[in-house]
Amino acid sequence: MGGIDTKKKRGVGMGAIGSFLSGFTSNFQAALLLWPILSFSLTLPILAYLYHRDGRLRFSSFAAAYLSMLYVSGLGCFTLYPLPSGDTGLGITYGIAPQLNPFAFVFDIAKDGLKAVLQLLFNIVLFLPLGFIAKRLLRLGLGKTLVLSLTITILIETAQLTGFFGLYPFAYRTFDVDDIIFNTLGGIAGWWCGRALDRFLPAAPSGPPPKTSNPGFVRRCVALWVDLLIIGFCTLFPWLIIALAWEVFADQPFTLPGLDATQTGDLFLIGCGLVSFLAVEIIIPWLHGGSTPGGTLVRMTFETVPRTGWKRALFYALRSTVLLLFLVAPPYATVILGIFYLFARKMPYDYLPASPAE
């Protein structure tokens, strides 16, 4: 009889775990769908930061940054998804009262048993990767990791309390102060796990690395991505300010003589784009030894050999032509340039020889 009771208890326990995990199937699927989008938009800023900090990028760091985006998408989906839909239900016609008692988990365990324990453990485990990433990838101290974990969990709980910051008129998920406590504990525990791993895989020493004149393809891409963000901002922002101000004060769209509003906008954006490109990719690097704003961030110069006079001017003209072709057809240009660099280990314009030493 004792063996039968043990099996029954084990079956009940596994059933509770299976039931608990089954509730997150759709969340995990949503996280996988968001992963490519988040990876494209967020991995590159992390790579730029790592390049700036270390002066190089190891494959392990690249993989860690990419996998971190899966964690970020999972964290968002597990805590905020699924969103309410239809015209009735949570977050639409009524809300959920917040749970502000920091010791409510004691009563939950007494009432729900294993299910409540699993929920507490899940809240801790959910933030373990955050603390680990903070320690191993970002190299944050324990205090900063605590602040980071606390800030993120408060942000998530506030989103739940406010119906995703006002997207819904009521809270569609529970704001729980216990979640804040145990999420933060999970971040701290993850940091200690990262520190324990330092004994076996110590992090590479950090220091101010020198600027390189022989950047790899990935570093060039990260620098270009940063430059394009700057160019895009400097292209759109002036037009938005002018167009908005004109609409407010003149109560009509801004137009140039002989052009309608659409033609004016297109002409203005093209002009701002060309000026921004000229400043970011030609003037600034010309004055700073081949370092664009993005190049400065990742500590590189695209002038691989010293050139002066007409050779330097021709080099900048060739590079600008390649970049403009990239902007016209980015998918094809990326593949072509990537294959070219794979075999040549340099860009086409790098073949222009150096100026003779004086």
Side-chain angles (χ1 to χ4, degrees):
M1 295 295 291
I4 295 175
D5 291 340
T6 301
K7 289 181 179 179
K8 287 184 177 180
K9 291 179 180 178
R10 186 181 303 166
V12 172
M14 293 304 295
I17 294 174
S19 176
F20 177 78
L21 293 178
S22 65
F24 296 103
T25 302
S26 61
N27 303 70
F28 186 70
Q29 292 174 345
L32 290 177
L33 291 174
L34 287 174
W35 186 15
I37 301 173
L38 286 175
S39 296
F40 177 78
S41 58
L42 298 180
T43 299
L44 285 174
I46 296 177
L47 296 183
Y49 165 74
L50 295 177
Y51 266 131
H52 182 73
R53 186 190 68 188
D54 302 334
R56 61 172 183 157
L57 185 66
R58 296 176 295 172
F59 177 78
S60 59
S61 298
F62 178 84
Y66 193 71
L67 290 174
S68 295
M69 294 306 100
L70 176 60
Y71 168 71
V72 170
S73 63
L75 183 64
C77 291
F78 279 116
T79 56
L80 300 173
Y81 182 86
L83 299 175
S85 59
D87 55 6
T88 61
L90 301 179
I92 297 178
T93 56
Y94 60 91
I96 303 176
Q99 196 293 106
L100 303 178
N101 180 6
F103 300 104
F105 69 92
V106 176
F107 304 101
D108 292 338
I109 294 175
K111 177 183 177 183
D112 298 326
L114 180 59
K115 183 179 179 180
V117 173
L118 289 174
Q119 182 64 52
L120 290 180
L121 291 176
F122 177 77
N123 284 331
I124 294 175
V125 172
L126 186 63
F127 270 61
L128 274 173
L130 178 64
F132 189 84
I133 291 168
K135 172 59 178 174
R136 293 289 300 179
L137 185 63
L138 303 180
R139 298 180 190 167
L140 300 181
L142 180 59
K144 291 182 179 179
T145 301
L146 188 151
V147 172
L148 177 65
S149 302
L150 182 62
T151 300
I152 291 179
T153 186
I154 289 177
L155 184 65
I156 290 172
E157 294 299 316
T158 302
Q160 295 175 344
L161 178 66
T162 59
F164 210 159
F165 302 107
L167 181 63
Y168 299 95
F170 302 103
Y172 63 92
R173 299 191 74 165
T174 304
F175 175 96
D176 195 331
V177 69
D178 284 339
D179 290 350
I180 296 177
I181 295 173
F182 287 99
N183 288 161
T184 305
L185 289 176
I188 295 173
W191 187 92
W192 281 106
C193 290
R195 181 173 181 179
L197 188 60
D198 283 344
R199 298 182 179 180
F200 307 97
L201 294 173
S206 60
K211 181 170 65 174
T212 179
S213 60
N214 187 30
F217 185 73
V218 175
R219 183 182 292 207
R220 291 174 186 261
C221 290
V222 174
L224 179 60
W225 176 83
V226 174
D227 292 336
L228 291 179
L229 283 182
I230 296 174
I231 291 172
F233 177 81
C234 294
T235 299
L236 293 174
F237 188 71
W239 170 243
L240 291 177
I241 293 298
I242 292 176
L244 180 61
W246 200 270
E247 287 276 1
V248 171
F249 294 105
D251 197 25
Q252 62 181 358
F254 174 72
T255 58
L256 293 174
L259 301 177
D260 58 26
T262 301
Q263 293 171 330
T264 298
D266 292 342
L267 182 62
F268 198 93
L269 291 175
I270 292 173
C272 287
L274 290 175
V275 172
S276 302
F277 180 88
L278 179 67
V280 171
E281 297 297 342
I282 297 179
I283 296 177
I284 292 178
W286 184 279
L287 299 176
H288 294 86
S291 290
T292 63
T296 300
L297 181 63
V298 300
R299 302 184 185 277
M300 62 158 278
T301 170
F302 59 71
E303 294 191 44
T304 53
V305 295
R307 301 178 183 90
T308 58
W310 68 269
K311 281 192 175 182
R312 192 178 188 215
L314 179 59
F315 172 80
Y316 272 73
L318 292 174
R319 180 178 180 274
S320 299
T321 300
V322 170
L323 292 182
L324 289 174
L325 291 175
F326 171 81
L327 294 177
V328 172
Y332 303 104
T334 301
V335 173
I336 294 172
L337 291 175
I339 295 175
F340 184 91
Y341 186 88
L342 180 64
F343 291 97
R345 311 306 297 177
K346 60 174 65 175
M347 289 296 174
Y349 43 81
D350 290 329
Y351 277 96
L352 187 67
S355 299
E358 297 182 358

